[in-house]
């Protein structure tokens, strides 16, 4: 599928759900937020238990078989176990309420911990896999012994990883369906990377197990340890790719992503329909946590309004936006003249263009 076709698919999915944006009762949406948090914690706990057992088994099998690819997979599972602990810490710390020093809360802390997961995948998993593979290719490792133990561990590991992957996939697919987006688009846009991290980890784990199995089997069939080394290096390449994807997702979230484009369009349309508003001049949104969005809007109010009218309108519109979209936590509305040249210059500098004001009737 080409990039143009992908954009068309994403746009069609957005159009199908645009009219549904923000219409759930607020109580239901708060329950949805708590449910997503519990689901994320369940996904991480299941992955933690699976990876811990797998890491112990793989380490024992690596010592018994002397296989480089099995050692690389053992390091992979150790890294994944450590990563689940990091994800749990991120989930707990990011859910703390706002306070005086952190008026917008701690939502972005989750992205820091998930970014550390990406670093750990590369540092603890990929680099060790590269090292094991190069050492084997250079002939610095001994021959393989008793590969049957390795096959048994790989088979059990495959089953456990598949169970963990099924839970992660179920959550990601359910969240994507709830957002009305294809899974691939949801992964690219999500503001909650925890379940996506587990999904990518488990997918890489299953692919890594396949590579380790191939390395063991080809080593046994040919008697050449080079296949085992190649398998280890390929596992390193796989883990590096996963680390880069996770790193990019969390880097964008830490820098400050715009909110879902559908939400931005609905906010603009809702504010534009308000009887007090002459023109929506500018809207700035930023994601600052899972299901937490900051909205800043510059509005040209009708000249006939009094200052009290403007104040009441701002309070009402902010409340309406929060009721329509549970993820909107903070709303700032600024009265501005739409024909101010400096403001127009700032908007153009940010977006490259600005919508012209409506012609007088």
């Amino acid at each position: 599928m080409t990039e143009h076709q992908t954009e068309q698919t994403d746009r069609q999915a957005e159009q199908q759900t645009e009219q549904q944006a923000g219409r759930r009762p607020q109580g239901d949406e708060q329950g949805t937020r708590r449910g997503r948090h519990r689901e994320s914690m369940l996904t991480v706990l299941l992955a933690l238990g699976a990876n811990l057992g797998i890491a112990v088994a793989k380490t024992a099998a690596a010592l018994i078989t002397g296989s480089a690819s099995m050692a690389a997979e053992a390091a992979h599972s150790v890294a994944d176990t450590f990563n689940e602990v990091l994800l749990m810490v991120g989930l707990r710390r990011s859910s703390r309420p706002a306070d005086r020093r952190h008026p917008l809360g701690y939502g972005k802390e989750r992205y820091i911990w998930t970014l550390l997961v990406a670093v750990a995948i590369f540092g603890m998993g990929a680099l060790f896999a590269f090292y094991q593979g190069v050492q084997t290719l250079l002939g610095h490792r001994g021959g393989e012994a008793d590969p049957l133990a390795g096959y048994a561990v790989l088979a059990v590991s495959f089953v456990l990883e598949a169970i963990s992957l099924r839970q992660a996939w179920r959550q990601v697919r359910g969240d994507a369906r709830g957002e009305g987006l294809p899974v691939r688009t949801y992964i690219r846009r999500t503001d909650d990377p925890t379940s996506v991290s587990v999904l990518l980890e488990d997918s890489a784990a299953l692919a890594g197990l396949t590579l380790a199995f191939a390395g063991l089997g080809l080593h046994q069939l040919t008697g050449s340890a080079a296949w085992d080394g190649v398998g280890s290096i390929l596992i390193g390449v796989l883990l590096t790719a996963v680390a880069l994807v996770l790193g990019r997702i969390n880097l964008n979230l830490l820098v400050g992503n715009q909110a879902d484009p559908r939400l931005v369009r609905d906010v603009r349309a809702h504010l534009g329909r308000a009887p007090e508003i002459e023109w929506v001049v500018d809207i700035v949104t930023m994601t600052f946590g899972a299901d937490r969005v900051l909205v800043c809007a510059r509005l040209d109010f009708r000249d006939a309004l009094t200052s009290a009218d403007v104040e009441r309108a701002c309070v009402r519109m902010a409340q309406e936006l929060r009721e329509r979209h549970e993820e909107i936590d903070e709303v700032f509305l600024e009265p501005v003249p739409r024909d101010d040249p400096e403001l127009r210059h700032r908007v153009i500098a940010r977006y490259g263009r600005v919508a012209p004001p409506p012609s007088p009737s």
Side-chain angles (χ1 to χ4, degrees):
M1 180 178 292
T2 65
E3 183 177 353
H4 178 68
Q5 290 173 325
T6 301
E7 292 178 355
Q8 284 185 328
T9 302
D10 295 350
R11 179 60 182 156
Q12 289 172 356
E14 290 177 3
Q15 290 174 342
Q16 290 173 357
T17 58
E18 186 106 22
Q19 296 179 348
Q20 300 176 358
R23 294 185 180 176
R24 290 176 295 175
Q26 187 172 3
D28 292 346
E29 293 195 345
Q30 290 174 350
T32 300
R33 178 185 289 187
R34 290 192 296 267
R36 287 186 62 182
H37 181 82
R38 289 194 296 267
E39 186 79 5
S40 295
M41 186 63 72
L42 173 62
T43 299
V44 173
L45 285 172
L46 184 59
L48 174 62
N51 285 318
L52 180 60
I54 292 170
V56 173
K58 285 180 181 177
T59 301
L63 294 174
I64 294 172
T65 63
S67 166
S69 55
M70 181 61 73
E73 271 300 294
H76 179 186
S77 293
V78 170
D80 282 352
T81 303
F82 178 70
N83 291 341
E84 310 314 334
V85 175
L86 294 179
L87 291 176
M88 289 181 62
V89 172
L91 281 171
R92 292 181 64 87
R93 292 183 62 86
S94 64
S95 62
R96 290 177 294 170
D99 54 37
R100 183 183 296 273
R101 294 186 61 187
H102 301 87
L104 296 180
Y106 294 80
K108 282 198 171 187
E109 189 167 344
R110 182 178 304 192
Y111 308 145
I112 296 175
W113 291 96
T114 314
L115 183 62
L116 290 177
V117 167
V119 174
I121 289 175
F122 180 73
M124 297 177 62
L127 291 181
F128 184 78
F130 286 133
Y131 172 79
Q132 290 291 318
V134 171
Q135 287 288 95
T136 300
L137 290 176
L138 294 177
H140 296 164
R141 291 179 58 89
E144 185 178 283
D146 192 16
L148 294 180
Y151 294 139
V153 168
L154 289 175
V156 173
S157 299
F158 197 94
V159 172
L160 294 177
E161 290 286 7
I163 293 173
S164 178
L165 176 64
R166 182 176 181 273
Q167 166 62 22
W169 170 253
R170 187 175 72 86
Q171 181 181 354
V172 171
R173 185 178 60 181
D175 291 344
R177 186 183 297 115
E179 296 290 337
L181 294 172
V183 172
R184 191 168 76 171
T185 304
Y186 171 79
I187 291 175
R188 192 167 63 247
R189 291 186 183 179
T190 183
D191 58 7
D192 184 6
T194 302
S195 58
V196 172
S197 298
V198 177
L199 177 66
L200 293 178
E201 285 179 3
D202 290 344
S203 300
L206 289 177
L209 289 170
T210 303
L211 291 172
F213 184 88
L216 275 174
L218 290 172
H219 187 176
Q220 183 182 12
L221 290 174
T222 65
S224 172
W227 291 108
D228 200 21
V230 170
S232 181
I233 291 175
L234 290 177
I235 290 172
V237 172
L238 176 68
L239 295 180
T240 300
V242 171
L244 289 174
V245 171
L246 278 180
R248 181 174 181 178
I249 290 174
N250 288 278
L251 180 62
N252 289 335
L253 290 169
L254 282 170
V255 171
N257 266 0
Q258 181 193 46
D260 189 316
R262 295 170 300 171
L263 181 147
V264 178
R265 286 195 294 270
D266 185 74
V267 168
R268 179 180 292 277
H270 183 73
L271 293 176
R273 289 192 297 266
E276 300 89 348
I277 301 303
E278 183 75 25
W279 186 251
V280 179
V281 179
D282 187 23
I283 292 180
V284 177
T285 62
M286 185 179 70
T287 298
F288 63 96
D291 293 328
R292 305 189 69 185
V293 172
L294 173 73
V295 174
C296 301
R298 294 187 173 102
L299 308 171
D300 183 12
F301 285 82
R302 298 188 183 279
D303 294 337
L305 298 176
T306 66
S307 59
D309 293 333
V310 172
E311 291 171 353
R312 286 191 292 268
C314 287
V315 172
R316 189 196 76 246
M317 288 186 293
Q319 181 179 356
E320 290 172 351
L321 291 178
R322 284 191 289 265
E323 289 176 350
R324 290 175 65 85
H325 299 278
E326 173 265 345
E327 58 266 41
I328 295 179
D329 269 13
E330 295 290 345
V331 179
F332 298 95
L333 303 178
E334 179 184 2
V336 297
R338 59 179 161 174
D339 56 354
D340 182 79
E342 181 180 354
L343 179 58
R344 288 177 61 84
H345 174 74
R346 292 181 61 185
V347 174
I348 292 173
R350 185 187 307 121
Y351 301 111
R353 60 185 176 85
V354 61
S359 57
S361 55

